[in-house]
């Protein structure tokens, strides 16, 4: 029954069997639910057809927990008739559980902030902000945790010293031969945590630098508190707090302060002068050393590397308590263990190395060891390790493969259920050992090379990643077989408990049969009774294991128990403890978060996998290992955990994209092309010389599960090929058959399902494609001539018998093919083209010859305004046109003014093309909008299908209606408004043109008269060639010139300046004067010879043609100005 007031659970005093019946019923219902849920998941997986090779453990909706939960408190658990014995067991069991809890809390809560702290490049002040977050979230709490650890360790030492005291009767009668090894092991583990924290803080230079900046910031605030609205008194308190925290946590003295604290309690507990406790401490240190010395470096080593740190910590505690330098042999033995374990990886890039630890903590004791030659040993060790590394990796991989095969089997060859359970116990113990061996190989290789400053060999990268893959393969095997483990766990623990209780029975019988009961025998009987009690009634929880181990230390005495019985009981207890802590062991030994600090090896490994595609399935293990970093990132409180995870995920995906997916896409596309065009002999591929890459395993790889995302390599390759084939088909529709064959080949060769393009075929009036013009706009504006009134481009010259023309209908057809999005892209390409042309335009007007001539003509015009009646003299323009030819001609006979006129024409052609794009878009929209019955009354399809609430249509139908409404709305808006691209291109350049820095452009309007004269001569020459059927450089229209003039005058805001020249009036006046003069001359010389009259007639015709061309030019110019009207 639950006691709500106290939050405790109290067992019912009477059990009539109803609880058992209810439990059985609930168990049956839960079994039915699990079975039904599993069937539904299987159906969903088959329907989606996207189940990966591995499950993602973090995404499991249900998971099995193997660790039993203790429902009794230690006071209730430890109950024997020996009250004093009960107290001792309760005290030390409570201390052991508290030390284990503090160790677990320290590793999970306080390691991550110092492991992951990194200062970015955000600028000054960022480091202080990050430290402030860590200070607020963790550092104050860490300070309290350290104080709590100090108190627990102090209490543990005092309790041991109180028990192991020469004046303690209980020690003399019962505990003299007893060594409470489990207490010292827990103490060593907690000291390991303190040493690790010291190493992590000292190793993180970024945090120490940011902490120094944070202190400087507080001093700056202290110097000017009013400026920062701070209270001076509180600032003083805050500075004291910072100094206190720094001395306690950041000076590398967390462990040192712990072992150097005061352990004596005057008048009550004597520690430093307690010779009995000193000898007990030494004896337990020897026992821990003996265990490490025999197992370190062996295949059955499991979780002992951190214990070596704890052994060094215990020796440091012993030396701090007693300053005893007489135990040189034991110290040398502990010191020499570094030859088996040169380093212990703590986390990140922090490593523990025993020689450095002892040299720093007890230098005088180290000097007694003589010449150590640690550096030479490490160099030799690394050489030997490197030679055997790949072989050791293969051994672990083979052992793990055998283990996984045995784990997947049902062991039907075992006749007895007992044999099956025993084999499973052994297998469950071997898995974490194999995973830890692989992890140790990785960490030893990486950090020994880092410590020695030796580069890793390239061939070792594959071995390192194989270690990680082995770890995750073991983890996934445990996860895959979790149902079997959960089903067998209770039976396995029951079997081991049965063996333990069976082993204890003859011991009890011998003790009870002896007849004489001394205090020691009573304590042994109490221990035996307590072990039987904790193992007979419930599952082996961590609390019960701790109590049992303490009792075993009392029970397993040579004078009461035989040696073979001791070994058997210890082995059984070890197996039981392994099963009880199985979940924690699996998580600890298969945790590959250390890969975060070697992630620069990931690109190399991805390249290796791409080159050896038969290993593509190992990508699942790699990404499972990379996901182990997530808890650390979420625990790094200096920044938002979700943001750090997102950045990390993006960086890993970018590596996969660069080194696998993009290469795969390119290589598959190249392979398909070479295969399809093999008849052309474009490339000879020799499989014996270069080899043919087998890309199929990469394509057929099941989607990767990555932080809740689904990375589908096959899907991305299909998307890339679909996009590429579509785009290339739109550029050259006549290649549709080639790309159709490539799609079919991709299906046959790689199993890629590519979508059909479904592009409309070319029509007879398709003309040039917009995409082709856009990509070659610099060629287009040179070769084509624009007609302003008909909005048509005509090819200027062609070696063929026909010439191309492009009109609004052609543009509309292209837009129908590619969509309206091509319009904005085209304008963007035109903008880039105009930028390049305007650079040449500016350089021409900046030329000294041109600039000086324009200044001269403008000054002449202003000085003779009255005489010329404010009309720019035609003669001045004609003289400019002639004199500029003296500056030089091109090989084609073009002057600088001719080239400038061509430049302006190309600019105008580009603007004409933009105008045609807009007109083509409106034409396409008008053709499309005619299918809408009434533009003024458009019904919403989404509203129509959702009105009937009684019979709602499916969600995908509603989504389709929503998309249709959006398409109609977009169509109507484009039809009603359109986009003024001309105004956009005016606004984007006008500011720069009118800037004072470009003052040399302000005289452009003065060069327009000579330019128009040059253009008229040019167009007349082209028309003459057309009449004479000469095919080179012929045209009858070239309105790009007038659009270019109008556009540039608008950019420079010089319409009024040009109008002030009255150029068209001056032209008309000049030509009329010439015509009048020729007419008068013809009349006065009517009686002269016919040749002179014919010459005068031809001259008059030329003047009429000149006047006509100038008038046409004026009309076109007037029309072009309308396009750029505000």
């Amino acid at each position: 029954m639950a006691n709500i007031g106290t939050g405790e659970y109290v067992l019912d005093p009477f059990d009539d069997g109803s609880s058992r019946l209810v439990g059985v019923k609930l168990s049956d219902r839960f079994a039915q639910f699990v079975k039904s849920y599993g069937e539904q998941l299987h159906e969903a997986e088959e329907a989606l057809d996207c189940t990966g090779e591995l499950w993602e453990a973090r995404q499991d909706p249900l998971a099995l927990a193997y660790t039993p939960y203790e429902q009794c408190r230690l006071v209730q658990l430890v109950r024997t008739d020996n009250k004093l014995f009960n107290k001792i067991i309760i005290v030390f069991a409570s201390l052991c559980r508290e030390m284990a809890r503090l160790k677990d809390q320290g590793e999970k809560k306080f390691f991550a902030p110092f492991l992951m702290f990194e200062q970015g490049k955000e600028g000054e002040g960022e480091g202080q902000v990050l430290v402030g977050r860590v200070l607020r979230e963790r550092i104050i709490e860490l300070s309290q945790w350290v104080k709590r650890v100090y108190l627990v360790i102090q209490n543990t030492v005092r309790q041991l010293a109180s028990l192991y005291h020469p004046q303690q009767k209980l020690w003399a009668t019962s505990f003299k031969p007893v060594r409470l090894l489990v207490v010292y092991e827990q103490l060593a583990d907690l000291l390991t945590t303190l040493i690790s924290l010291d190493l992590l803080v000292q190793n993180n230079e970024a945090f120490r630098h940011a902490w120094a900046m944070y202190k400087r910031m507080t001093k700056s605030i202290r110097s000017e508190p009013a400026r920062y609205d701070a209270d001076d008194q509180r600032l003083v308190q805050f500075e004291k707090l910072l100094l206190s925290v720094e001395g306690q946590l950041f000076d590398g003295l967390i462990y040192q302060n712990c072992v150097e604290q005061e352990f004596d309690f005057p008048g009550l507990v004597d520690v430093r002068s307690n010779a009995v406790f000193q000898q007990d401490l030494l004896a337990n240190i020897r026992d821990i050393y003996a265990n490490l010395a025999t197992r370190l470096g062996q295949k059955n080593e499991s979780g002992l590397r951190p214990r070596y740190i704890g052994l060094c910590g215990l020796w440091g505690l012993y030396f701090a308590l007693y300053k005893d330098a007489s135990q040189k042999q034991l110290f040398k033995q502990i010191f020499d263990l570094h030859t088996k374990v040169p380093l212990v990886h703590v986390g990140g890039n922090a490593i523990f190395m025993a020689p450095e630890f002892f040299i720093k903590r007890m230098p005088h004791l180290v000097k007694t060891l003589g010449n150590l030659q640690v550096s030479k040993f490490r160099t030799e060790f690394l050489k030997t390790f490197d030679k055997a590394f790949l072989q050791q990796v293969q051994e672990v991989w083979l052992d793990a493969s055998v283990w996984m095969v045995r784990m997947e089997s049902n062991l039907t060859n075992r006749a007895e259920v007992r044999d099956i359970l025993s084999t499973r116990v052994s297998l469950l113990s071997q898995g974490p050992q194999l995973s830890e061996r692989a992890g140790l190989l990785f960490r030893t290789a990486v950090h020994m090379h880092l410590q020695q400053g030796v580069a890793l060999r390239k061939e070792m990268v594959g071995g390192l990643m194989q270690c990680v893959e082995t770890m995750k393969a073991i983890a996934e095997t445990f996860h895959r077989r979790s149902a079997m483990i959960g089903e067998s766990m209770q039976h396995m623990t029951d079997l081991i408990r049965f063996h333990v209780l069976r082993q204890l029975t003859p011991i009890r019988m011998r003790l009870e049969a002896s007849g004489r009961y001394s205090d020691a025998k009573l304590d042994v009987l109490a221990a035996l009774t307590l072990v039987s009690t904790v193992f007979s009634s419930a599952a082996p929880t961590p609390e019960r294991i701790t109590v049992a181990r303490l009792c075993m230390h009392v029970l397993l005495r040579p004078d009461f128990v035989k040696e073979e019985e001791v070994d058997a009981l210890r082995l059984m207890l070890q197996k039981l403890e392994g099963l009880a802590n199985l979940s924690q062991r699996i998580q600890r030994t298969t945790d590959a978060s250390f890969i975060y600090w070697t992630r620069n090896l990931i690109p190399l490994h991805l390249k290796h996998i791409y080159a050896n595609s038969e290993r593509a399935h190992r990508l699942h293990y790699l990404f499972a290992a990379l996901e182990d970093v997530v808890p650390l990132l979420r625990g790094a409180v200096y920044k938002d955990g979700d943001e750090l995870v997102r950045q990390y995920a993006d960086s890993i995906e970018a590596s996969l994209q660069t080194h696998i997916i993009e290469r795969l896409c390119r290589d598959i596309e190249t392979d398909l092309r070479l295969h399809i065009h093999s008849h052309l002999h474009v490339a000879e591929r020799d499989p014996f010389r270069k080899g043919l890459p087998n890309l199929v395993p990469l394509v057929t790889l099941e989607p990767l599960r990555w932080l809740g995302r689904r990375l589908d390599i096959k899907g991305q390759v299909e998307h890339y090929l679909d996009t590429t084939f579509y785009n290339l088909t739109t550029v050259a529709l006549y290649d549709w058959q080639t790309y159709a064959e490539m799609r079919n080949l991709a299906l046959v060769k790689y199993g890629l399902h590519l979508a059909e393009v479904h592009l409309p075929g070319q029509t007879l009036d398709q003309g040039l494609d917009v995409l082709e013009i856009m990509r070659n706009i610099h060629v287009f504006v040179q070769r084509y001539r624009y007609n302003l009134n008909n909005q048509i481009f005509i090819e200027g010259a062609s070696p063929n018998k026909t010439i191309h023309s492009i009109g609004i209908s052609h543009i509309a057809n292209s837009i129908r093919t590619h969509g309206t999005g091509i319009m904005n892209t085209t304008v963007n390409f035109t903008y880039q083209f105009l930028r390049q042309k305007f650079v040449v335009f500016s350089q021409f007007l900046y030329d000294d010859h041109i600039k000086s001539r324009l200044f001269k003509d403008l000054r002449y015009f202003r000085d003779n305004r009255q005489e010329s009646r404010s009309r720019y003299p035609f003669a001045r323009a004609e003289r400019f046109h002639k004199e500029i030819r003296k500056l030089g001609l091109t090989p084609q006979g073009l002057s600088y003014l001719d080239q400038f006129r061509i430049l302006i024409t190309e600019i105008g052609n580009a603007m004409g093309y933009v105008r045609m794009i807009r007109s083509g878009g409106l034409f396409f929209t008008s053709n499309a909008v005619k299918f809408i019955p009434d533009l003024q009354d458009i019904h919403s399809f989404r509203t129509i299908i959702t009105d009937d609430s009684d019979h709602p249509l499916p969600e995908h139908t509603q989504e389709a209606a929503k998309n249709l409404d959006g398409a109609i709305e977009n169509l109507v808006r484009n039809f009603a408004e359109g986009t003024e691209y001309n105004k956009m291109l005016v606004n984007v350049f006008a500011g720069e043109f009118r800037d004072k820095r470009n003052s040399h452009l302000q005289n452009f309007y003065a060069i327009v008269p000579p330019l128009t004269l040059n253009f008229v001569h040019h167009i007349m020459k082209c028309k003459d060639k057309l009449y004479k059927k000469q095919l080179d450089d012929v045209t009858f229209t070239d309105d790009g010139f007038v659009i270019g003039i109008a556009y540039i005058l608008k950019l420079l805001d010089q319409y009024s300046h040009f109008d002030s020249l009255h150029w068209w009036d001056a032209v008309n006046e000049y030509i009329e004067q010439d015509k009048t003069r020729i007419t008068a001359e013809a009349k006065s010389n009517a009686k002269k010879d016919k040749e002179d009259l014919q010459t005068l007639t031809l001259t008059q015709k030329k003047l009429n043609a000149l006047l006509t061309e100038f008038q046409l030019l004026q009309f076109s110019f007037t029309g072009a100005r309308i396009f750029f009207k505000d």
Side-chain angles (χ1 to χ4, degrees), residues 203-234:
N203 189 68
N204 195 325
E205 293 293 336
F207 177 80
R208 296 172 63 189
H209 176 68
W211 177 259
M213 295 195 330
Y214 190 82
K215 290 194 300 180
R216 287 199 300 269
M217 181 190 70
T218 57
K219 291 181 180 179
S220 301
I221 297 175
R222 175 79 185 282
S223 62
E224 297 178 288
R227 178 181 176 184
Y228 300 100
D229 192 20
D231 185 6
D232 189 53
Q233 185 176 0
R234 296 185 66 185

Side-chain angles (χ1 to χ4, degrees), residues 725-733 757 759 769 771 775 817-818:
F725 291 172
Y726 176 86
N727 291 338
L728 294 177
T729 306
T730 57
V731 173
L733 289 175
V757 176
L759 284 174
D769 191 75
L771 278 175
R775 292 168 179 162
T817 300
H818 303 294

Side-chain angles (χ1 to χ4, degrees), residues 523-576:
D523 289 337
V524 170
L525 282 172
L528 192 150
T529 303
L530 188 54
V531 171
S532 302
T533 302
V534 298
F535 281 161
S536 61
S537 58
T541 62
E543 290 79 5
R544 291 174 184 266
I545 293 292
T546 302
V547 171
R549 289 193 63 187
L550 287 169
C551 293
M552 287 294 183
H553 293 319
V554 178
L555 173 63
L556 303 180
R557 297 171 49 164
D559 49 344
F560 294 115
V561 183
K562 300 176 183 178
E563 185 176 353
E564 56 271 17
E565 293 175 332
V566 171
D567 295 337
L569 283 171
R570 283 177 178 170
L571 179 61
M572 292 298 172
L573 190 61
Q574 185 179 355
K575 289 181 179 181
L576 201 59

Side-chain angles (χ1 to χ4, degrees), residues 437-507:
R437 281 174 59 193
L440 289 176
L441 282 173
F442 183 101
R443 284 175 282 196
T444 304
V446 170
H447 293 285
M448 278 301 293
H449 282 83
L450 283 175
Q451 197 275 333
Q452 292 296 106
V454 178
L456 281 168
R457 301 198 313 272
K458 188 175 181 180
E459 58 269 20
M460 292 183 66
V461 175
L464 290 172
M465 291 304 167
Q466 193 171 358
C467 292
V468 175
E469 292 159 2
T470 304
M471 295 172 64
K472 300 318 293 183
I474 292 172
E476 297 299 339
T477 302
F478 273 118
H479 183 245
R480 199 162 42 239
R481 301 293 289 165
S482 58
M484 179 274 290
I485 297 173
E487 180 184 4
S488 306
M489 181 61 73
Q490 186 63 41
H491 301 297
M492 290 186 290
T493 55
D494 288 346
L495 178 64
I496 297 175
R497 286 189 294 146
F498 168 75
H499 284 300
V500 171
L501 295 176
R502 190 175 66 174
Q503 290 282 345
L504 293 176
T505 301
I507 300 175

Side-chain angles (χ1 to χ4, degrees), residues 266-422:
L268 188 60
V269 179
D270 187 12
V271 177
R272 299 185 186 274
S273 59
N274 189 340
V276 173
F277 174 66
Q278 179 181 359
Q279 293 303 316
D280 182 71
L281 178 56
L282 271 176
N284 281 278
I285 290 175
R286 287 192 179 95
D287 288 344
I288 296 174
Y289 163 77
N291 184 33
L292 294 178
T294 55
R295 293 178 59 190
L296 276 178
Q298 302 300 317
K299 291 185 177 182
N300 63 345
E301 173 189 348
S302 179
L304 295 181
R305 297 287 173 109
R307 185 64 56 80
Y308 181 40
I309 303 178
L311 176 61
C312 297
L314 278 178
W315 178 260
L317 173 64
Y318 172 80
F319 190 78
L321 285 174
Y322 301 106
K323 306 298 181 184
D324 183 12
S326 63
Q327 301 294 328
K328 294 180 182 179
Q329 183 179 0
L330 178 58
F331 174 66
K332 188 176 187 308
Q333 290 174 337
I334 296 173
F335 187 92
D336 287 344
L337 274 181
H338 84 276
T339 58
K340 292 187 176 182
V341 186
L343 59 85
V344 180
H345 180 242
V346 174
N349 291 323
I351 56 175
F352 172 84
M353 307 186 85
E356 282 76 0
F357 174 82
F358 288 124
I359 291 171
K360 181 179 179 181
R361 307 294 178 186
M362 46 200 81
H364 301 294
L365 199 58
V366 174
K367 289 180 180 179
T368 63
L369 299 179
N371 188 12
L372 300 175
Q373 296 184 340
V374 175
S375 300
K376 181 179 179 181
F377 161 75
R378 289 173 180 168
T379 303
E380 295 299 326
F381 177 88
L382 184 58
K383 291 180 181 178
T384 306
F385 180 85
D386 284 352
K387 290 179 181 179
F389 175 72
L390 294 178
Q391 182 181 354
Q392 291 180 355
V393 171
Q394 289 304 316
E395 289 179 2
V396 174
W397 176 257
L398 291 174
D399 291 344
S401 300
V402 172
W403 174 84
M404 285 185 280
V405 170
R406 297 186 66 195
M407 278 291 290
E408 295 291 347
S409 69
N410 294 322
L411 303 177
T412 54
N413 60 334
R414 304 298 195 275
E416 297 288 338
V417 175
R418 182 178 303 176
D419 295 336
I420 294 176
L421 293 177
S422 299

Side-chain angles (χ1 to χ4, degrees), residues 564-843:
E564 56 271 17
E565 293 175 332
V566 171
D567 295 337
L569 283 171
R570 283 177 178 170
L571 179 61
M572 292 298 172
L573 190 61
Q574 185 179 355
K575 289 181 179 181
L576 201 59
E577 187 176 5
L579 290 177
N581 299 326
L582 181 62
S583 296
Q584 292 84 351
R585 289 184 66 202
I586 295 172
Q587 183 178 4
R588 176 180 60 82
T589 57
T590 61
D591 180 18
S593 57
F594 51 77
I595 199 173
Y596 179 80
W597 288 269
T598 56
R599 58 189 183 277
N600 56 334
L601 299 178
I602 301 300
L604 294 175
H605 184 55
L606 292 177
K607 292 178 182 177
H608 178 73
I609 288 180
Y610 190 84
N612 302 273
S613 57
E614 67 278 0
R615 302 180 182 179
H617 64 281
R618 297 187 180 183
L619 283 174
H620 288 284
Y621 300 127
L622 175 63
F623 275 80
L626 291 169
E627 199 165 339
D628 288 342
V629 185
V630 172
L632 292 177
L633 292 171
R634 295 194 187 280
V637 295
Y638 74 99
K639 281 186 179 180
D640 179 60
D642 292 335
E643 177 64 19
L644 289 175
V645 171
R646 187 190 63 78
Q647 294 175 0
Y648 172 65
D650 291 344
S651 66
I652 298 300
E653 284 188 40
S655 294
L656 180 70
Q657 193 76 26
T658 302
H659 301 289
I660 296 287
I661 298 176
E662 290 181 0
R663 289 184 62 187
L664 184 62
C665 292
R666 292 194 301 266
D667 289 349
I668 289 180
E669 182 187 4
T670 302
D671 181 64
L672 294 175
R673 290 187 184 281
L674 293 176
H675 196 107
I676 290 297
H677 297 93
S678 58
H679 63 284
L680 300 177
H681 304 289
V682 290
E684 293 291 343
R685 293 187 291 175
D686 187 351
F688 299 102
R689 182 178 302 174
K690 295 183 179 179
L692 293 178
N694 181 18
L695 305 178
V696 175
L698 289 167
V699 177
T700 57
L701 183 69
E702 293 292 341
L704 301 172
R705 308 296 179 87
W706 171 239
L707 297 179
R709 310 178 189 183
R710 185 171 178 267
L711 304 181
D712 188 359
I713 295 179
K714 179 180 179 181
Q716 295 199 42
V717 174
E718 290 175 342
H719 175 72
Y720 169 83
L721 293 177
D722 280 335
T723 305
T724 302
F725 291 172
Y726 176 86
N727 291 338
L728 294 177
T729 306
T730 57
V731 173
L733 289 175
Y734 49 80
D735 281 339
W736 66 270
Q737 186 174 1
T738 300
Y739 292 111
E741 292 176 356
M742 292 173 68
R743 281 194 295 274
N744 293 333
L745 182 61
L747 175 61
V748 173
K749 193 170 183 180
Y750 296 105
L752 297 173
H753 298 270
L754 304 182
E756 291 292 335
V757 176
H758 295 298
L759 284 174
Q762 285 185 302
T763 61
L764 292 176
D765 59 346
Q766 180 81 25
L768 284 177
D769 191 75
V770 171
L771 278 175
E772 186 177 351
I773 297 174
M774 177 181 68
R775 292 168 179 162
N776 301 283
I777 192 170
H778 59 289
V779 178
F780 175 77
V781 297
Q782 291 177 2
R783 295 181 55 187
Y784 281 78
R785 308 290 180 259
Y786 182 58
N787 186 277
L788 180 67
N789 298 311
N790 293 324
Q791 286 205 66
I792 189 173
F793 276 96
I794 302 172
E795 193 174 9
S798 174
N800 305 319
K801 294 181 179 180
T802 58
I803 59 175
H804 294 91
S805 64
I806 301 171
I808 293 176
S809 59
H810 304 135
I811 301 296
N813 286 331
S814 290
I815 293 174
R816 178 171 63 89
T817 300
H818 303 294
T820 55
I822 198 68
M823 298 171 63
N824 292 330
T825 308
T826 302
V827 175
N828 184 44
F829 267 78
T830 306
Y831 162 73
Q832 301 294 339
F833 170 77
L834 290 175
R835 283 183 58 190
Q836 299 173 6
K837 291 300 179 182
F838 280 138
V839 172
V840 182
F841 173 83
S842 175
Q843 291 173 351

